[in-house]
């Protein structure tokens, strides 16, 4: 059926269900959603269950939008006129995709008004649907700039969403029914995650990362299964770590034109890390695989989805994200193919243990035939200490070092372990398990933390409760001090005993090198590794016992400081948790593919799962295609 | 390196090795060969080992050709003038590809002359290199027309071979090294054979057949691994059965432009069967997947190779054919990839037993890492009676039927079992095991038999000896009578007791239906099945016990005649032979893939091979890709 006829039919069905007196002027696909344009958005909103009923009957995600949206600047002035100054409005974000205006205020209650009266007044005045959130306690420049950019390209983006909407809802053409997965990277190795899910109708790329510290660091994007990239329907990201998303902007350079799906938090973290990646690569090899122009292209074409929202992303594929417990916004991508014919979950990186920041990864799915599962700690020996043991050990080392007047350097990735360690240190000081010293944050850690405070809904319930109900946001503790100039860095180095959390996590560059250079000669100081150190990195060499570290043009650093490794802060499931996860998967899948681990670990995990659960397992190689259905 | 520079370099190397006084005017790639053009072809020929040495040192197949080839018509007149009339020259075939003229004569010895004097005279007169063969005792119109057609398009073909030659010898471009096989059909099923062998440099399609009696009868040629077909370097055929070659001409309709490799016998049988396939399909569904124009396209772009000739078919792939023992010209295709990195054999259909016609399939290879192996009779119960037992049973039934005055109908494929049964009957009569009655051949069987007599070098040594040294060609026995008109068919039906071998082999159409209609009502007659009857065919239904057969617009046929099945004439290895073949494979491969068999059989064979030989096995599904290296 022609798409115009389909939209006409949908409009007729909607009109038949909408109460008399409510006008439906237009319906249109925009990205994965069906948008109903009306002159009466308020009346629509008053019919409590109407949208829910329409969504269920039409099997579409429904959005209602007023025909005319007030110009954002005028609307902003009107909002400020309605809301009392005491609300402390800090920002307003008009999202033309949704017809919503996000009002950030220090006192959200004042914007809402008694029983929502002020909010209703706003709706009447401006047509936009107001949503109110508490002003994030730390401002993220990434989030701000991304929102500004999206506002600037809103017309272009609207045209893009319409064309994607029509592409998603195109007719099925093939009489064949099959589902295949092609492995383009990340098999029997960690890094360059890239999996192609294909049917006779559609092609979806899951993740597109790099392989840090490797000469052949790109996924096999040149093979005919995926090239030309124009033939891809969509890219689906599991999370923002660079081994999963670094090369997404590059896809636009080589012909990709479609959308990139992710959670909102993943989008903002990915943009932050990609821009940093460009700086790092430019310094190292002078030849960058893409530029910030392609990062903008990515932002323009990103479509964000929250956990649990079932979304059409191709004529025969629905995507639902579920919590993966790994980092902020990390998700298990669940694909429902055809009319329930086949369901595949890609776990991305996931943690089946509860952490200070996140709940454990979801193991319950409506349907499930196959799972592609990470295996970083899939070896039979790869069990990690508990979080409690890890934190006790961390406290012990902090106490010893501070007591002898030393300083502590903790190298960490900007996203993930940094925040986990921050929360452990904050609680340690609050409960007087360690002395109250300054915790300096250098590198991208502050910005990453700001993005965490922008998306509190992704944190686990305990932490959310602590922040919102008890008003105690641990990230705002006065122990944390941002280092944002070389001058402050000098002061930190010359100051009293303290803790420094800084990038890069594996000591391959970044501000950590400055600290090491200044503090390594002194035995009283301590370097604590809290994360995995990959082969070939300076971090790994130091762990192995190297006592001297070459430092570019400078002389070598002689390491007299104490070297410690504290395991147990990992964002990955350890072996025990991986096996427990498979045990708890519901429903039990027919097939499990072990990926994202070295050869030994993926094979070990696959054979252990088969032996214990009698589920068919594979440890695929790169460049293979598996027939799922 | 530019191809022109490469040819220049090769020319210099050749000049350095050629004795003074021999002129090398040009070297050029033509198809897989390096052609040396010279004014002195005779001098070249006089240096006994020169070409061998050049081939070894340059690692190329070398052909020497005179700069100027006499016009074929003039040359033919000159040959006739030189050779005495008593030689009985029946045809001459000038092959501009090779600069050879094939002289067919009833008395080849006369053309050659005492100590080859006449042959040398010819060479001096015409420049073409003469080869003499005995006139095939039965003329094949397919062979004749194919040769005529090739003569007519010789300029076009020469240009094609030059461009393919340059394509084969292009530079390698990728730093990656991998080898993959994608299954496009014939997995867990019999039919639509199609396998894609790919490397970063090249793409080779092995076979391209249909699946008779099926609604989804085409290989998955639309998937991106192989589409667009223009990206294919070559098609490699194992043998001429339609489940392996029916759709080759169609490839040219959808953009393929490259060569199709096969043995000479396979090419001619394939053309015969494809043209017949077009007639049958046109009758059945009125919509043919290609026309005779595309069959011509195939002939024009075919390149024939004999067993054992190691041939470059892509910059990083060499092909060698080995005897498969299945039908005339059937071959195991052995691929040698890169600098000996990887070796894969595709058995096609093969018979590891000796038959009246062919020797057993080759099990010895210079190198071998993986095998794709047919599994038609791969089930643990799928053992067949010996040829001797089968023939005894056949003789028994023939005797019984003839003795009671009945006629015998043997439905058979034109190629394969027909000739095997013919030889058994001929010997039976010669050794007086059965009465001397007429054996009528109807359908394409005569033409197929003619092609057999055109290529005696593909028959086994015993049969060759019988034909050439003992002068006793069993195909020429006077017991065989060709039925080539409806009038003769009527006469056969009304005649004395006799044997009728006729197509189609599974009773889905063809002249066999006429015979059945006329002879089925009488109990004294017998229908003998000697080949596999696929599900859904009338043959299968009759085997199952049906006593009435619907016959299109006509009334049904009531079957009162005797129904017999004689197993053991199969051209396939049975289960025991398949296992013995794996046992004798030398060297022992690392991996075996079981294909061309139903799901049960491929899985059973794969697991039995693994259990007995501890070789890694897979029973792939269609649309999978396996990483070999
Ligand atoms: Zn990760
Ligand atoms: Zn990862
Ligand atoms: Zn497997
Ligand atoms: Zn065959
Ligand atoms: Zn076959």
């Amino acid at each position: 059926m022609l798409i115009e006829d389909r939209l006409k039919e949908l409009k007729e069905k909607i009109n038949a269900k909408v109460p008399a007196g409510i006008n439906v002027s237009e319906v249109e696909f925009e990205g994965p959603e069906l948008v109903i344009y009306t002159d009466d958005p308020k009346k629509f909103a008053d019919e409590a269950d109407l949208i829910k009923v329409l969504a269920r009957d039409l099997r579409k995600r429904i959005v209602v939008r007023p025909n005319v949206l007030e110009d954002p600047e005028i609307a902003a002035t009107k909002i400020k006129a309605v809301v009392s100054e005491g609300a402390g409005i800090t920002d307003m974000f008009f999202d033309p995709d949704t017809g919503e205006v996000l009002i950030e205020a220090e006192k959200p209650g004042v914007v809402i008004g008694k029983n929502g009266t002020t909010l209703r007044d706003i709706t009447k005045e401006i047509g936009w649907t107001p949503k109110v959130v508490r002003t994030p306690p730390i401002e993220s420049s990434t989030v701000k700039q991304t929102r500004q950019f999206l506002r600037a390209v809103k017309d272009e983006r609207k045209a893009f969403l319409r064309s994607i909407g029509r592409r998603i809802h195109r007719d099925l053409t093939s009489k064949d029914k099959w589902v295949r997965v092609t492995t383009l990277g990340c098999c029997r190795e960690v890094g360059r995650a890239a999996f192609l899910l294909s049917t006779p109708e559609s092609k979806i790329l899951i993740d597109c990362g790099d392989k840090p510290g490797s000469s052949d660091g790109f996924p096999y994007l040149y093979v005919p299964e995926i090239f030309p990239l124009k033939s891809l329907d969509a890219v689906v990201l599991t999370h923002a770590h660079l081994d999963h998303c670094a090369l997404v902007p590059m896809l636009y350079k080589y012909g990709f034109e479609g959308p990139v799906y992710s959670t909102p938090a993943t989008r903002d973290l990915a943009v932050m890390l990609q821009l940093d990646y460009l700086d790092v690569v430019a310094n190292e090899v002078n030849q960058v695989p893409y530029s910030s122009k392609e990062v903008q292209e990515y932002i323009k074409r990103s479509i964000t989805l929250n956990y649990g929202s079932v979304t059409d992303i191709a004529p025969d594929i629905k995507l639902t994200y579920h919590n993966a417990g790994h980092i902020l916004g990390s998700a298990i991508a669940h694909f429902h193919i055809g009319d329930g014919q086949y369901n595949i979950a890609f776990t991305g990186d996931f943690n089946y243990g509860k952490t200070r920041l996140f709940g454990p990864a979801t193991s319950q799915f409506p349907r499930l035939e196959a799972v592609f599962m990470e295996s970083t700690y899939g070896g039979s020996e790869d069990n990690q200490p508990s979080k409690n043991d890890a934190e006790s050990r961390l406290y012990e080392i902090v106490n010893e070092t501070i007591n002898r007047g030393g300083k502590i350097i903790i190298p960490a990735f900007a996203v993930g372990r940094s925040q986990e360690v921050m929360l452990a240190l904050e609680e340690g000081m609050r409960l007087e398990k360690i002395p109250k010293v300054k915790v300096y944050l250098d590198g991208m850690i502050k910005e990453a933390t700001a993005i965490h405070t922008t998306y509190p809904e992704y944190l686990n319930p305990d932490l959310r409760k602590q922040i919102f109900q008890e008003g105690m946001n641990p990230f705002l503790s006065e122990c944390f001090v941002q280092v944002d100039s070389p001058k402050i860095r000098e002061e930190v180095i010359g100051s009293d005993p303290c803790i420094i959390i800084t990038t890069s996590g594996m000591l391959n560059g970044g501000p950590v090198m400055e600290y090491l250079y200044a503090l390594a000669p002194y035995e009283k100081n301590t370097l604590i590794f809290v994360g995995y150190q990959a082969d070939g990195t300076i971090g790994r060499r130091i762990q192995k016992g190297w006592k001297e570290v070459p430092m570019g043009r400078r002389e070598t650093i002689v390491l007299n400081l104490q070297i410690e490794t504290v395991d147990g802060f990992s964002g990955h499931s350890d072996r025990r948790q991986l096996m427990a996860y498979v045990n708890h998967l519901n429903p039990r899948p027919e097939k499990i593919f072990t990926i994202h681990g070295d050869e030994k670990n993926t094979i070990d995990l696959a054979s252990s799962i088969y032996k214990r659960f009698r589920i068919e397992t594979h440890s695929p190689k790169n460049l293979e295609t598996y027939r799922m259905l």
Side-chain angles (χ1 to χ4, degrees), chain A residues 427-445:
Chain A
E427 188 181 281
M429 289 179 198
R430 188 154 36 85
L431 303 183
E432 301 189 341
K433 294 180 176 177
I434 51 173
K436 288 199 159 78
V437 296
K438 290 289 173 207
V439 179
Y440 295 100
L441 310 175
D442 203 341
M444 263 187 321
I445 294 170

PDB file of all heavy atoms in Angstrom, chain A residues 427-445:
ATOM      1  N   GLU A 427      30.806   8.204  50.756  1.00  0.00           N
ATOM      2  CA  GLU A 427      30.183   7.523  51.883  1.00  0.00           C
ATOM      3  C   GLU A 427      31.214   7.201  52.967  1.00  0.00           C
ATOM      4  O   GLU A 427      30.946   7.328  54.170  1.00  0.00           O
ATOM      5  CB  GLU A 427      29.478   6.241  51.443  1.00  0.00           C
ATOM      6  CG  GLU A 427      28.656   5.642  52.577  1.00  0.00           C
ATOM      7  CD  GLU A 427      27.951   4.348  52.204  1.00  0.00           C
ATOM      8  OE1 GLU A 427      26.895   4.440  51.539  1.00  0.00           O
ATOM      9  OE2 GLU A 427      28.453   3.254  52.556  1.00  0.00           O
ATOM     10  N   GLY A 428      32.424   6.808  52.500  1.00  0.00           N
ATOM     11  CA  GLY A 428      33.498   6.513  53.456  1.00  0.00           C
ATOM     12  C   GLY A 428      33.774   7.703  54.367  1.00  0.00           C
ATOM     13  O   GLY A 428      33.952   7.541  55.584  1.00  0.00           O
ATOM     14  N   MET A 429      33.777   8.885  53.783  1.00  0.00           N
ATOM     15  CA  MET A 429      34.023  10.085  54.603  1.00  0.00           C
ATOM     16  C   MET A 429      32.832  10.403  55.491  1.00  0.00           C
ATOM     17  O   MET A 429      32.978  10.723  56.660  1.00  0.00           O
ATOM     18  CB  MET A 429      34.309  11.278  53.684  1.00  0.00           C
ATOM     19  CG  MET A 429      35.675  11.142  53.000  1.00  0.00           C
ATOM     20  SD  MET A 429      35.986  12.532  51.892  1.00  0.00           S
ATOM     21  CE  MET A 429      37.291  11.820  50.895  1.00  0.00           C
ATOM     22  N   ARG A 430      31.630  10.284  54.919  1.00  0.00           N
ATOM     23  CA  ARG A 430      30.411  10.601  55.661  1.00  0.00           C
ATOM     24  C   ARG A 430      30.264   9.672  56.856  1.00  0.00           C
ATOM     25  O   ARG A 430      29.906  10.092  57.954  1.00  0.00           O
ATOM     26  CB  ARG A 430      29.198  10.475  54.721  1.00  0.00           C
ATOM     27  CG  ARG A 430      27.897  10.962  55.292  1.00  0.00           C
ATOM     28  CD  ARG A 430      26.900  11.414  54.191  1.00  0.00           C
ATOM     29  NE  ARG A 430      26.940  10.620  52.969  1.00  0.00           N
ATOM     30  CZ  ARG A 430      26.263   9.474  52.775  1.00  0.00           C
ATOM     31  NH1 ARG A 430      25.502   8.983  53.745  1.00  0.00           N
ATOM     32  NH2 ARG A 430      26.368   8.811  51.639  1.00  0.00           N
ATOM     33  N   LEU A 431      30.594   8.408  56.679  1.00  0.00           N
ATOM     34  CA  LEU A 431      30.484   7.438  57.773  1.00  0.00           C
ATOM     35  C   LEU A 431      31.804   7.325  58.544  1.00  0.00           C
ATOM     36  O   LEU A 431      31.977   6.409  59.346  1.00  0.00           O
ATOM     37  CB  LEU A 431      30.070   6.068  57.218  1.00  0.00           C
ATOM     38  CG  LEU A 431      28.744   6.038  56.419  1.00  0.00           C
ATOM     39  CD1 LEU A 431      28.405   4.610  55.987  1.00  0.00           C
ATOM     40  CD2 LEU A 431      27.590   6.639  57.237  1.00  0.00           C
ATOM     41  N   GLU A 432      32.728   8.235  58.278  1.00  0.00           N
ATOM     42  CA  GLU A 432      34.005   8.336  59.001  1.00  0.00           C
ATOM     43  C   GLU A 432      34.838   7.064  58.940  1.00  0.00           C
ATOM     44  O   GLU A 432      35.526   6.701  59.893  1.00  0.00           O
ATOM     45  CB  GLU A 432      33.748   8.773  60.446  1.00  0.00           C
ATOM     46  CG  GLU A 432      33.033  10.117  60.448  1.00  0.00           C
ATOM     47  CD  GLU A 432      32.914  10.748  61.833  1.00  0.00           C
ATOM     48  OE1 GLU A 432      33.056  10.023  62.828  1.00  0.00           O
ATOM     49  OE2 GLU A 432      32.693  11.971  61.880  1.00  0.00           O
ATOM     50  N   LYS A 433      34.762   6.372  57.800  1.00  0.00           N
ATOM     51  CA  LYS A 433      35.638   5.223  57.606  1.00  0.00           C
ATOM     52  C   LYS A 433      36.995   5.663  57.078  1.00  0.00           C
ATOM     53  O   LYS A 433      37.977   4.936  57.159  1.00  0.00           O
ATOM     54  CB  LYS A 433      35.004   4.233  56.612  1.00  0.00           C
ATOM     55  CG  LYS A 433      33.726   3.592  57.154  1.00  0.00           C
ATOM     56  CD  LYS A 433      33.134   2.621  56.128  1.00  0.00           C
ATOM     57  CE  LYS A 433      31.910   1.929  56.725  1.00  0.00           C
ATOM     58  NZ  LYS A 433      31.259   1.032  55.760  1.00  0.00           N
ATOM     59  N   ILE A 434      37.026   6.810  56.442  1.00  0.00           N
ATOM     60  CA  ILE A 434      38.294   7.394  55.959  1.00  0.00           C
ATOM     61  C   ILE A 434      38.287   8.876  56.311  1.00  0.00           C
ATOM     62  O   ILE A 434      37.222   9.465  56.504  1.00  0.00           O
ATOM     63  CB  ILE A 434      38.464   7.210  54.423  1.00  0.00           C
ATOM     64  CG1 ILE A 434      37.208   7.701  53.670  1.00  0.00           C
ATOM     65  CG2 ILE A 434      38.761   5.759  54.068  1.00  0.00           C
ATOM     66  CD1 ILE A 434      37.371   7.721  52.153  1.00  0.00           C
ATOM     67  N   PRO A 435      39.464   9.484  56.377  1.00  0.00           N
ATOM     68  CA  PRO A 435      39.511  10.908  56.739  1.00  0.00           C
ATOM     69  C   PRO A 435      38.873  11.784  55.666  1.00  0.00           C
ATOM     70  O   PRO A 435      38.844  11.429  54.497  1.00  0.00           O
ATOM     71  CB  PRO A 435      41.018  11.202  56.849  1.00  0.00           C
ATOM     72  CG  PRO A 435      41.749  10.009  56.375  1.00  0.00           C
ATOM     73  CD  PRO A 435      40.800   8.890  56.179  1.00  0.00           C
ATOM     74  N   LYS A 436      38.366  12.929  56.103  1.00  0.00           N
ATOM     75  CA  LYS A 436      37.737  13.873  55.175  1.00  0.00           C
ATOM     76  C   LYS A 436      38.817  14.678  54.468  1.00  0.00           C
ATOM     77  O   LYS A 436      39.267  15.720  54.962  1.00  0.00           O
ATOM     78  CB  LYS A 436      36.805  14.824  55.944  1.00  0.00           C
ATOM     79  CG  LYS A 436      35.527  14.169  56.432  1.00  0.00           C
ATOM     80  CD  LYS A 436      34.461  15.220  56.751  1.00  0.00           C
ATOM     81  CE  LYS A 436      33.050  14.687  56.759  1.00  0.00           C
ATOM     82  NZ  LYS A 436      32.670  13.932  57.963  1.00  0.00           N
ATOM     83  N   VAL A 437      39.230  14.177  53.290  1.00  0.00           N
ATOM     84  CA  VAL A 437      40.214  14.929  52.484  1.00  0.00           C
ATOM     85  C   VAL A 437      39.538  15.318  51.176  1.00  0.00           C
ATOM     86  O   VAL A 437      38.446  14.856  50.857  1.00  0.00           O
ATOM     87  CB  VAL A 437      41.472  14.074  52.196  1.00  0.00           C
ATOM     88  CG1 VAL A 437      42.201  13.728  53.483  1.00  0.00           C
ATOM     89  CG2 VAL A 437      41.091  12.798  51.419  1.00  0.00           C
ATOM     90  N   LYS A 438      40.197  16.189  50.426  1.00  0.00           N
ATOM     91  CA  LYS A 438      39.643  16.603  49.141  1.00  0.00           C
ATOM     92  C   LYS A 438      39.778  15.472  48.125  1.00  0.00           C
ATOM     93  O   LYS A 438      40.792  14.742  48.117  1.00  0.00           O
ATOM     94  CB  LYS A 438      40.392  17.825  48.590  1.00  0.00           C
ATOM     95  CG  LYS A 438      40.134  19.103  49.381  1.00  0.00           C
ATOM     96  CD  LYS A 438      38.704  19.605  49.152  1.00  0.00           C
ATOM     97  CE  LYS A 438      38.404  20.788  50.082  1.00  0.00           C
ATOM     98  NZ  LYS A 438      36.948  20.879  50.371  1.00  0.00           N
ATOM     99  N   VAL A 439      38.769  15.323  47.279  1.00  0.00           N
ATOM    100  CA  VAL A 439      38.845  14.391  46.149  1.00  0.00           C
ATOM    101  C   VAL A 439      38.841  15.238  44.872  1.00  0.00           C
ATOM    102  O   VAL A 439      37.830  15.848  44.524  1.00  0.00           O
ATOM    103  CB  VAL A 439      37.657  13.415  46.135  1.00  0.00           C
ATOM    104  CG1 VAL A 439      37.750  12.475  44.936  1.00  0.00           C
ATOM    105  CG2 VAL A 439      37.595  12.627  47.444  1.00  0.00           C
ATOM    106  N   TYR A 440      40.003  15.342  44.240  1.00  0.00           N
ATOM    107  CA  TYR A 440      40.109  16.155  43.026  1.00  0.00           C
ATOM    108  C   TYR A 440      39.713  15.339  41.803  1.00  0.00           C
ATOM    109  O   TYR A 440      40.105  14.181  41.664  1.00  0.00           O
ATOM    110  CB  TYR A 440      41.536  16.698  42.872  1.00  0.00           C
ATOM    111  CG  TYR A 440      41.898  17.667  43.987  1.00  0.00           C
ATOM    112  CD1 TYR A 440      42.661  17.267  45.075  1.00  0.00           C
ATOM    113  CD2 TYR A 440      41.455  18.999  43.919  1.00  0.00           C
ATOM    114  CE1 TYR A 440      42.976  18.145  46.095  1.00  0.00           C
ATOM    115  CE2 TYR A 440      41.770  19.886  44.930  1.00  0.00           C
ATOM    116  CZ  TYR A 440      42.530  19.471  46.024  1.00  0.00           C
ATOM    117  OH  TYR A 440      42.827  20.342  47.021  1.00  0.00           O
ATOM    118  N   LEU A 441      38.925  15.962  40.934  1.00  0.00           N
ATOM    119  CA  LEU A 441      38.475  15.302  39.705  1.00  0.00           C
ATOM    120  C   LEU A 441      39.112  16.014  38.533  1.00  0.00           C
ATOM    121  O   LEU A 441      38.904  17.214  38.336  1.00  0.00           O
ATOM    122  CB  LEU A 441      36.953  15.380  39.579  1.00  0.00           C
ATOM    123  CG  LEU A 441      36.166  14.951  40.824  1.00  0.00           C
ATOM    124  CD1 LEU A 441      34.669  15.191  40.622  1.00  0.00           C
ATOM    125  CD2 LEU A 441      36.429  13.490  41.155  1.00  0.00           C
ATOM    126  N   ASP A 442      39.893  15.282  37.732  1.00  0.00           N
ATOM    127  CA  ASP A 442      40.560  15.922  36.600  1.00  0.00           C
ATOM    128  C   ASP A 442      40.159  15.193  35.316  1.00  0.00           C
ATOM    129  O   ASP A 442      39.696  14.055  35.348  1.00  0.00           O
ATOM    130  CB  ASP A 442      42.084  15.905  36.797  1.00  0.00           C
ATOM    131  CG  ASP A 442      42.764  17.008  35.980  1.00  0.00           C
ATOM    132  OD1 ASP A 442      42.141  17.531  35.019  1.00  0.00           O
ATOM    133  OD2 ASP A 442      43.918  17.334  36.302  1.00  0.00           O
ATOM    134  N   GLY A 443      40.325  15.866  34.180  1.00  0.00           N
ATOM    135  CA  GLY A 443      39.906  15.282  32.904  1.00  0.00           C
ATOM    136  C   GLY A 443      38.407  15.430  32.726  1.00  0.00           C
ATOM    137  O   GLY A 443      37.793  16.354  33.254  1.00  0.00           O
ATOM    138  N   MET A 444      37.816  14.505  32.008  1.00  0.00           N
ATOM    139  CA  MET A 444      36.400  14.632  31.669  1.00  0.00           C
ATOM    140  C   MET A 444      35.475  14.186  32.776  1.00  0.00           C
ATOM    141  O   MET A 444      34.264  14.109  32.571  1.00  0.00           O
ATOM    142  CB  MET A 444      36.110  13.786  30.434  1.00  0.00           C
ATOM    143  CG  MET A 444      36.125  14.592  29.139  1.00  0.00           C
ATOM    144  SD  MET A 444      35.568  13.521  27.833  1.00  0.00           S
ATOM    145  CE  MET A 444      36.331  11.998  28.295  1.00  0.00           C
ATOM    146  N   ILE A 445      36.034  13.884  33.945  1.00  0.00           N
ATOM    147  CA  ILE A 445      35.196  13.269  34.973  1.00  0.00           C
ATOM    148  C   ILE A 445      34.088  14.190  35.456  1.00  0.00           C
ATOM    149  O   ILE A 445      32.957  13.760  35.673  1.00  0.00           O
ATOM    150  CB  ILE A 445      36.080  12.768  36.138  1.00  0.00           C
ATOM    151  CG1 ILE A 445      36.964  11.629  35.620  1.00  0.00           C
ATOM    152  CG2 ILE A 445      35.243  12.296  37.307  1.00  0.00           C
ATOM    153  CD1 ILE A 445      38.047  11.184  36.554  1.00  0.00           C
TER     154      ILE A 445
END
